[in-house]
Amino acid sequence: SVLSDLDYAGKSNRELSTLRLSPSERAIATKRLLALYTVIATLPGIPSVFYGDEAGLEGFNDPFNRMPYPYGKEDATLLSHYRKIGGIRLEYDVYKASKFNLIHLDEDVFVFERYDSRWSYITVLNISESEYSIFGETKFLNLMSNKRSENFKIKPISAEIFKIKRNFTLDLRRN
């Protein structure tokens, strides 16, 4: 794990108020946040964002989890991702009300679809340290990159969203 409560046992509130992630911890946490927000935002329901997550705000337990918003110092990668996902949710009505189907679930990968009568919107979450590939019989659209292809790579600790015609055939493989 990136952090655990044991890492902070015995520290005073003064010490806890100044703790920040190391660059390597922050890199892992950012990858996880990007991937998990993609999933949360594409599951049925309305996603909830904890104040400052979209800007990379750090903090520990209460009261340090509600630090002031970092105006002018937001994490550009996170903000861009949250805006991209918000744009996808606005553009495609399937995220307002549609059907849900679990396609695949194991210890490394979670794949589900939201769909209407014509299109399937597939979210793929890869929490492993391995890369996966997803293949289709025809070209399909990666909504994150706006690229079309018959196959895409799913990087370790990441998530992607795809649009494909209903009654699709996709194949997911570990590289």
Side-chain angles (χ1 to χ4, degrees), residues 28-40:
I28 292 167
T30 297
K31 285 174 71 170
R32 289 177 178 173
L33 182 59
L34 293 170
L36 293 174
Y37 185 69
T38 302
V39 171
I40 290 167

Side-chain angles (χ1 to χ4, degrees), residues 2-149:
V2 173
L3 302 171
S4 74
D5 287 340
L6 295 176
D7 297 334
Y8 304 105
K11 296 207 184 288
S12 69
N13 275 352
R14 183 181 194 115
E15 292 171 298
L16 292 174
S17 72
T18 61
L19 285 178
R20 297 294 177 265
L21 298 172
S22 71
S24 63
E25 291 168 334
R26 186 167 176 92
I28 292 167
T30 297
K31 285 174 71 170
R32 289 177 178 173
L33 182 59
L34 293 170
L36 293 174
Y37 185 69
T38 302
V39 171
I40 290 167
T42 55
L43 282 168
I46 298 170
S48 178
V49 178
F50 192 72
Y51 170 82
D53 280 353
E54 75 285 4
L57 187 62
E58 292 185 28
F60 188 61
N61 289 333
D62 195 27
F64 309 115
N65 57 353
R66 297 209 185 247
M67 305 299 273
Y69 189 86
Y71 289 103
K73 296 178 184 173
E74 297 93 343
D75 182 310
T77 300
L78 288 173
L79 271 179
S80 174
H81 186 78
Y82 276 74
R83 287 179 178 141
K84 177 74 175 176
I85 298 292
I88 289 169
R89 287 184 52 84
L90 285 172
E91 183 175 349
Y92 298 102
D93 287 341
V94 72
Y95 294 112
K96 294 181 179 101
S98 67
K99 296 181 177 152
F100 171 87
N101 182 39
L102 176 63
I103 295 173
H104 179 87
L105 177 62
D106 64 32
E107 64 274 0
D108 292 333
V109 179
F110 175 36
V111 183
F112 63 89
E113 73 175 317
R114 302 286 301 276
Y115 63 94
D116 58 28
S117 61
R118 294 183 57 221
W119 298 100
S120 288
Y121 299 81
I122 311 296
T123 300
V124 180
L125 170 67
N126 175 10
I127 64 167
S128 78
E129 295 294 333
S130 300
E131 184 177 80
Y132 278 77
S133 292
I134 189 165
F135 303 89
E137 71 236 5
T138 62
K139 285 187 176 184
F140 54 105
L141 177 66
N142 181 324
L143 294 179
M144 301 301 292
S145 67
N146 291 316
K147 293 181 180 173
R148 292 187 181 279
S149 182

